[in-house]
Amino acid sequence: MKVNDFPKVTVILRGYTYDQIHTVVKNLIGTELKAVEITMNTPGALETIRKIREEFGDSILVGAGTVLTYTEAQQAIDAGAAFLLSPTVFDKEILDLCRERGVISVPGAFSPSEIWKSIQDGADIVKVFPAGRLGSRFFSDIQAPLGRLPLMAVGGVNVENLEEFFNAGALFAGIASGIFNRQDIIEQREEHLRTSIREAEKKIRQLREAQEE
């Protein structure tokens, strides 16, 4: 996958059971929310990634989050992860592994130096985390001297402030609790989940249309 084809918004799922994740993914199929991140600190994460990938195939992009080591990166890719995210900078060997295996790499960064180093080392996208703490202006401020960069806003991002981050220069966003009510996922309330998805889709479409004008 080319970076330009990577979905604008990734749904982050952390700490849920396989059945709960399956219910969310099933309702994401065919919507504007085309990517889901299953974090490695979720019990049974690798098996969940494998099963979701096997069942839904190319209908949704499945990735691994909170990848911290080379071993975890290997395991996630072997399980079928199409992209890897981390809250920290990736070692270059992880970035090289992703490139060799055709997997999108999204290391984390907090400072301009970390962002620039990751880009120079070959990262496809850099996850600015925690974006909510840094504020949307951070994205426009650092790109003034560094130029246009493939940045993803994660941490404190939700449907309401998504436009703010995109307008400031973020190209992508990862959203956890900012889309769904956690209890809706836990109790697998499908109608509530679908309502939340429709609200997020409306915002994403508006943003895309605004960018195309």
Side-chain angles (χ1 to χ4, degrees):
M1 167 177 285
K2 296 180 180 179
V3 174
N4 289 341
D5 296 327
F6 194 81
K8 287 292 185 183
V9 176
T10 296
V11 176
I12 302 171
L13 297 175
R14 182 189 309 276
Y16 297 107
T17 67
Y18 169 75
D19 287 340
Q20 291 163 348
I21 291 172
H22 183 274
T23 297
V24 173
V25 173
K26 179 178 66 174
N27 284 283
L28 292 176
I29 300 302
T31 75
E32 295 278 352
L33 299 169
K34 303 178 186 300
V36 61
E37 169 194 338
I38 298 165
T39 66
M40 291 292 281
N41 57 356
T42 294
L46 293 172
E47 184 61 19
T48 295
I49 291 170
R50 182 176 291 107
K51 291 169 71 173
I52 293 295
R53 182 65 185 270
E54 288 175 353
E55 177 171 352
F56 296 101
D58 295 332
S59 297
I60 193 162
L61 203 64
V62 181
T66 320
V67 176
L68 301 175
T69 67
Y70 184 83
T71 298
E72 287 181 340
Q74 285 183 309
Q75 292 173 334
I77 293 172
D78 289 343
F83 60 94
L84 303 184
L85 290 94
S86 178
T88 62
V89 174
F90 276 151
D91 291 337
K92 193 172 186 306
E93 64 175 353
I94 296 179
L95 296 173
D96 291 343
L97 173 68
C98 288
R99 186 163 48 253
E100 291 166 5
R101 300 287 296 272
V103 169
I104 296 290
S105 59
V106 193
F110 186 76
S111 70
S113 295
E114 291 175 342
I115 292 170
W116 187 247
K117 184 179 188 306
S118 289
I119 293 293
Q120 294 300 302
D121 283 347
D124 294 306
I125 300 168
V126 177
K127 166 183 165 180
V128 178
F129 174 82
R133 180 69 64 182
L134 290 164
S136 61
R137 184 172 173 178
F138 179 81
F139 289 80
S140 55
D141 285 350
I142 63 169
Q143 292 185 91
L146 296 180
R148 189 69 162 155
L149 299 171
L151 303 179
M152 175 185 285
V154 181
V157 181
N158 54 52
V159 173
E160 285 69 36
N161 65 15
L162 186 61
E163 182 176 8
E164 178 184 332
F165 283 97
F166 279 0
N167 286 343
L171 293 181
F172 310 96
I175 307 181
S177 58
I179 290 181
F180 300 110
N181 179 305
R182 182 174 177 81
Q183 206 59 34
D184 288 342
I185 297 178
I186 291 172
E187 298 184 14
Q188 301 179 61
R189 302 168 180 164
E190 294 197 56
E191 186 52 48
H192 290 194
L193 294 174
R194 285 192 289 270
T195 297
S196 296
I197 291 169
R198 285 193 294 269
E199 291 173 356
E201 282 191 292
K202 181 179 178 181
K203 175 60 69 174
I204 294 169
R205 280 194 294 267
Q206 289 173 344
L207 291 172
R208 186 175 61 245
E209 290 167 1
Q211 290 174 340
E212 291 173 351
E213 289 179 356

